[in-house]
C-alpha cells in the first residue's frame, strides 16, 4: 500500500550560505577525535536520548530502521561487558591478530585493556536487526527480512557520532571481536546482532590522542 504523500519540507538556501555551512561543518568535524581516556563526569540529562533520535532519522533499506540502541547504565552490566570484551581483546592482541594488523594498530597505542567500558559516563551498544520475527495468521513463525542492514546501521551510527560530537561529547567506536557476549549480557533477543559499542563522555584531564592526519581531498576524490 502506497503511503499518503506530503509536500517536502525543504529550506532552500543561497549558494554562498550552502558553502559557508559546509565549510563550518568541516572545521567542526576536523576537531572530532576518537578518545580512549574518558572522565567519569556525567553527560547532560536527555542528551543521549536526543542523539539516538538523530540516529533514528537515518535513511534505511525500505525504511525498515533495522537498529536498536541500548544505553548501558547499570554498573554491574558495565563490569560484565568490560570483563568479556577484555577477554576477547586479550585473545585478539595475544593470538588472533595477524602481525600486519598489529603493526597497523601499533601507532594508535591500543591494547586489550578497556577501562572506559566501566568508567565512561555513557556506553551505547548498537544492534543490527537482519530480520524481524513475525507470526502468520495461522500462528506459524516467519522471518520478515530487512534490507541493506550493514549500510543502514552504518549510516545511523554515523549520524549518532555526528550528533554526539556536535553536542560537545567525545566518542569512541569499539568493536570487540567476536561480540556475541553483548547479546547475552544485555539480554537481547537472538534476531538482534551486536554491531558496535559507542563510548561517549568527556576526555579525561590530560587525555592525549595520536597525531593522525586524514587523507587530503585530492587523495579521496576523483572527478569524471
Ligand atoms: N578491537 C580492538 C582492536 C582494534 C582494531 C582496529 I581495526 C582499530 O582501529 C582499533 C582497535 C580494540 O578495540 O582494541
Amino acid at each position: 500500500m502506497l503511503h499518503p504523500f506530503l509536500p517536502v519540507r525543504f529550506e532552500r538556501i543561497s549558494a554562498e550560505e550552502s558553502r559557508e555551512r559546509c565549510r563550518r561543518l568541516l572545521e567542526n568535524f576536523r576537531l572530532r577525535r576518537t578518545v580512549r581516556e574518558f572522565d567519569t563526569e556525567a553527560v547532560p540529562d536527555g542528551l543521549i536520548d536526543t542523539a539516538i533520535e538523530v540516529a533514528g532519522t537515518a535513511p534505511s533499506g525500505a525504511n525498515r530502521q533495522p537498529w536498536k540502541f541500548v544505553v548501558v547504565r547499570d554498573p554491574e552490566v558495565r563490569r560484565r561487558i568490560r570483563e568479556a570484551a577484555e577477554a576477547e581483546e586479550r585473545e585478539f592482541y595475544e593470538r588472533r591478530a595477524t602481525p600486519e594488523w598489529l603493526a597497523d594498530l601499533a601507532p594508535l597505542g591500543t591494547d586489550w585493556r578497556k577501562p572506559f567500558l566501566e568508567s565512561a559516563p555513557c556506553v551505547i551498544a548498537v544492534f543490527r536487526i537482519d530480520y524481524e520475527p513475525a507470526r502468520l495468521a495461522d500462528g506459524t513463525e516467519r522471518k520478515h527480512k530487512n534490507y541493506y542492514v550493514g549500510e543502514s546501521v552504518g549510516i545511523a551510527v554515523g549520524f549518532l557520532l555526528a550528533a554526539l560530537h556536535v553536542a560537545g561529547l567525545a566518542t569512541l567506536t569499539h568493536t570487540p571481536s567476536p561480540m556475541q557476549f553483548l547479546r547475552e549480557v544485555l539480554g537481547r533477543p537472538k534476531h538482534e546482532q551486536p554491531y558496535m559499542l559507542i563510548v561517549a563522555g568527556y576526555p579525561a584531564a590530560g587525555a592525549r590522542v595520536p597525531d593522525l592526519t586524514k587523507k587530503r581531498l585530492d587523495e579521496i576524490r576523483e572527478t569524471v
Side-chain angles (χ1 to χ4, degrees):
M1 250 282 277
L2 188 63
H3 276 298
F5 272 57
L6 303 169
V8 64
R9 282 178 55 188
F10 186 89
E11 180 200 11
R12 182 67 201 250
I13 57 176
S14 70
E16 199 31 60
E17 176 72 13
S18 277
R19 283 188 286 262
E20 184 56 27
R21 284 194 198 182
C22 207
R23 273 195 296 265
R24 283 214 191 131
L25 189 69
L26 173 59
E27 249 173 63
N28 186 356
F29 274 41
R30 279 188 170 140
L31 297 174
R32 200 205 77 86
R33 293 302 311 264
T34 286
V35 164
R36 291 189 165 80
E37 298 161 84
F38 285 88
D39 199 276
T40 56
E41 187 184 344
V43 300
D45 280 347
L47 183 56
I48 301 302
D49 280 353
T50 306
I52 290 171
E53 287 190 280
V54 172
T57 68
S60 62
N63 192 38
R64 303 258 316 147
Q65 306 167 58
W67 44 62
K68 183 82 87 185
F69 300 90
V70 180
V71 183
V72 191
R73 297 192 187 285
D74 184 326
E76 174 55 21
V77 175
R78 292 279 210 94
R79 195 191 58 73
R80 287 164 62 196
I81 291 177
R82 176 185 179 180
E83 208 166 79
E86 286 187 334
E88 294 296 357
E89 293 293 278
R90 221 183 167 125
E91 265 305 294
F92 172 81
Y93 282 96
E94 290 173 4
R95 275 176 282 278
R96 278 201 297 263
T98 60
E100 182 177 50
W101 196 340
L102 290 176
D104 284 337
L105 288 179
L108 302 177
T110 58
D111 63 28
W112 61 268
R113 291 178 191 83
K114 307 296 171 190
F116 47 76
L117 291 175
E118 280 188 275
S119 60
C122 176
V123 171
I124 306 170
V126 184
F127 290 82
R128 57 180 286 158
I129 302 174
D130 288 271
Y131 67 90
E132 309 268 358
R135 202 175 282 282
L136 292 178
D138 69 3
T140 53
E141 288 273 344
R142 65 176 284 273
K143 291 180 177 183
H144 188 157
K145 190 177 140 46
N146 290 328
Y147 313 98
Y148 300 99
V149 174
E151 293 85 343
S152 301
V153 182
I155 296 168
V157 166
F159 279 26
L160 178 61
L161 294 174
L164 294 169
H165 172 67
V166 166
L169 296 188
T171 52
L172 165 66
T173 52
H174 179 41
T175 49
S177 167
M179 50 180 167
Q180 270 311 315
F181 68 84
L182 276 177
R183 246 196 64 230
E184 287 140 37
V185 173
L186 295 173
R188 303 312 304 167
K190 66 174 183 308
H191 65 279
E192 293 183 10
Q193 292 298 327
Y195 182 83
M196 192 180 285
L197 285 172
I198 310 287
V199 184
Y202 301 100
R208 299 194 307 163
V209 292
D211 184 11
L212 302 180
T213 55
K214 296 295 185 185
K215 291 180 179 175
R216 293 182 317 271
L217 177 63
D218 62 286
E219 296 174 288
I220 62 172
R221 185 263 285 121
E222 296 279 353
T223 307
V224 293

